[in-house]
Amino acid sequence: MLVFSLFILKLGVSQEEIEQTIIHDGIDRDFMLYIPSGYDPSADQFPIVFNFHGFTSNAAQQKQYSRMDAIAEANNFIVCYPEGIENAWNVGWDFGSNEDDIGFTQAMISTIAMDYNIDRQRIYACGMSNGGFFSYRLACELSNTFAAVASVTGSFTDEMLANCSPTRNVPVMEVHGTDDLIVPYNGLAGTAIPIEDVIDFWVTENICTMTPDTTAIPNTNNFDGCTSEMIEYLNCEDESEVVFVKITGGGHTWPGGAFPLPGTSRDYDGSQLVWDFFNRHRLPAVLSNDEVNTSTLSIFPNPVKDYFQIKGNEELEKILLYDINGKLVQTSQKELVNISMLNSGLYMAMILTDKQTSLIRIIKH
């Protein structure tokens, strides 16, 4: 994994929209951040929602379409809108992407955590269509990172289903229309399994009561051609849950979305619905601490004049040193590193060991 960003010590921020680039697997990868005006780095840690776009879409469109910024502003959480390669996420399709999007997601979390005070117990993922598929993949493969996930018009591929083995019970929400023609409710061979099979999988996986509570969502708009019901599987193991928002007459759309697409429920705001679900869940502290990858490594001395030394019990593989612009300026495979030739300033050391990758800021006198 190779990561860089513009490293900034943030003393305080107002409402911000930020575009950022990191390098992962030698490829420039982009994402957008929305930081609510209530963000205070000296206050409590802030939740973060990763909101993944659909196939052929992009981060900016998902930001505009889902209108999640307004929900983040009202509820004080950060939103990240990642950008997929070739406008796609790797979910095992023959088309789309085959990039390491799991590693990219981990790299985004590490990068954002360097600049913002995020709550590791409250990291969430949601997405539209292909982004919904990928959110489920994150639940399967990074279950100790994401407290809960939500899929809007997404599903599983056969391959995802066969390989899904989360290490904890992950709360999940599926929002899906019965008239979806892109990711059909009854499935599409080779592309998506039936939605009710997705729900059955998670109900079994989370060891939930098999009989759900079903509640009609008020039909406040008589002109959208849709009605919705919330089907909740509660009493799941470890306080997880499975929520299915079934939209009768709904299409391949985000409820309440900004674009006037046919089959869009106008009875509620999909982003608010997703956040209300996320807001009920957090990782147990022991899991979030494990997943932080808090390093046993340290750099001494720091600030440094000429030499610094890596201390810790892990087997060192390589040290990559980046300047404030993200340029690689030095590499080393030794625990004692000579940086006397570098200019004074702020640097970032990426330390690769046999166990993990750690990022540590270094101040050079």
Side-chain angles (χ1 to χ4, degrees):
M1 182 182 72
L2 181 61
V3 183
F4 84 86
S5 66
L6 179 60
F7 303 112
I8 302 173
L9 295 174
K10 297 183 182 294
L11 302 178
V13 341
S14 59
Q15 179 188 72
E16 283 192 282
E17 298 180 5
I18 298 164
E19 296 183 8
Q20 199 158 354
T21 299
I22 64 178
I23 296 178
H24 179 71
D25 274 359
I27 303 172
D28 285 3
R29 301 298 304 265
D30 302 325
F31 59 91
M32 305 171 69
L33 287 176
Y34 179 82
I35 310 299
S37 59
Y39 174 77
D40 180 354
S42 65
D44 291 339
Q45 295 173 321
F46 275 63
I48 183 168
V49 175
F50 287 82
N51 190 343
F52 295 89
H53 62 73
F55 182 57
T56 75
S57 186
N58 58 47
Q61 289 173 348
Q62 181 65 8
K63 176 183 172 72
Q64 181 183 2
Y65 182 36
S66 65
R67 300 195 285 199
M68 189 168 277
D69 289 358
I71 308 303
E73 180 65 22
N75 294 275
N76 259 1
F77 63 90
I78 296 170
V79 191
C80 177
Y81 301 94
E83 189 84 55
I85 297 295
E86 300 295 332
N87 305 101
W89 302 105
N90 184 353
V91 297
W93 288 335
D94 292 336
F95 54 93
S97 172
N98 59 4
E99 300 296 337
D100 176 23
D101 290 324
I102 294 291
F104 170 49
T105 302
Q106 292 173 306
M108 283 191 291
I109 293 171
S110 296
T111 302
I112 295 166
M114 288 190 298
D115 287 335
Y116 297 96
N117 189 19
I118 66 171
D119 188 343
R120 292 281 188 159
Q121 290 180 260
R122 306 190 69 196
I123 300 176
Y124 309 101
C126 67
M128 171 75 186
S129 190
N130 185 196
F133 280 77
F134 187 64
S135 294
Y136 278 147
R137 189 176 168 206
L138 292 172
C140 296
E141 299 183 37
L142 297 180
S143 59
N144 286 348
T145 298
F146 289 91
V149 306
S151 166
V152 181
T153 74
S155 180
F156 271 99
T157 63
D158 292 326
E159 179 184 355
M160 284 173 58
L161 185 63
N163 293 296
C164 186
S165 55
T167 58
R168 58 176 282 269
N169 300 298
V170 184
V172 299
M173 169 182 274
E174 173 71 30
V175 181
H176 217 100
T178 58
D179 292 355
D180 190 327
L181 300 179
I182 306 300
V183 181
Y185 186 86
N186 293 319
L188 182 64
T191 302
I193 70 171
I195 299 307
E196 292 183 9
D197 289 354
V198 174
I199 302 304
D200 288 346
F201 170 81
W202 286 115
V203 168
T204 301
E205 184 68 31
N206 287 347
I207 314 177
C208 304
T209 300
M210 298 303 293
T211 302
D213 293 341
T214 302
T215 307
I217 297 176
N219 184 24
T220 59
N221 188 313
N222 295 320
F223 302 100
D224 60 7
C226 305
T227 58
S228 301
E229 55 186 342
M230 186 172 293
I231 304 169
E232 298 176 283
Y233 294 85
L234 307 172
N235 300 316
C236 305
E237 195 171 83
D238 297 332
E239 299 183 348
S240 62
E241 63 177 319
V242 177
V243 177
F244 177 28
V245 180
K246 181 179 180 180
I247 309 172
T248 301
H252 194 68
T253 59
W254 188 283
F259 306 149
L261 302 174
T264 301
S265 175
R266 297 295 175 186
D267 297 328
Y268 49 91
D269 186 322
S271 291
Q272 183 68 62
L273 190 79
V274 167
W275 172 249
D276 289 343
F277 169 70
F278 286 162
N279 201 30
R280 298 198 291 268
H281 300 286
R282 65 176 61 226
L283 281 178
V286 63
L287 291 179
S288 62
N289 288 338
D290 287 345
E291 197 62 28
V292 168
N293 264 356
T294 301
S295 180
T296 58
L297 302 173
S298 62
I299 288 178
F300 180 83
N302 191 11
V304 56
K305 182 178 180 182
D306 294 322
Y307 292 86
F308 68 82
Q309 185 171 2
I310 303 297
K311 292 188 175 183
N313 297 323
E314 301 171 22
E315 183 177 342
L316 180 66
E317 294 180 352
K318 185 183 292 186
I319 301 169
L320 305 171
L321 199 63
Y322 297 88
D323 66 15
I324 195 171
N325 296 312
K327 180 182 177 181
L328 180 65
V329 294
Q330 190 170 330
T331 62
S332 175
Q333 293 178 305
K334 298 179 180 180
E335 294 181 354
L336 184 64
V337 182
N338 180 3
I339 60 170
S340 59
M341 71 295 297
L342 297 180
N343 295 326
S344 299
L346 179 65
Y347 295 86
M348 186 62 65
M350 177 177 286
I351 307 170
L352 287 72
T353 73
D354 59 334
K355 294 182 179 179
Q356 63 180 322
T357 298
S358 302
L359 294 166
I360 301 177
R361 286 187 178 94
I362 298 174
I363 299 174
K364 168 73 164 64
H365 283 325

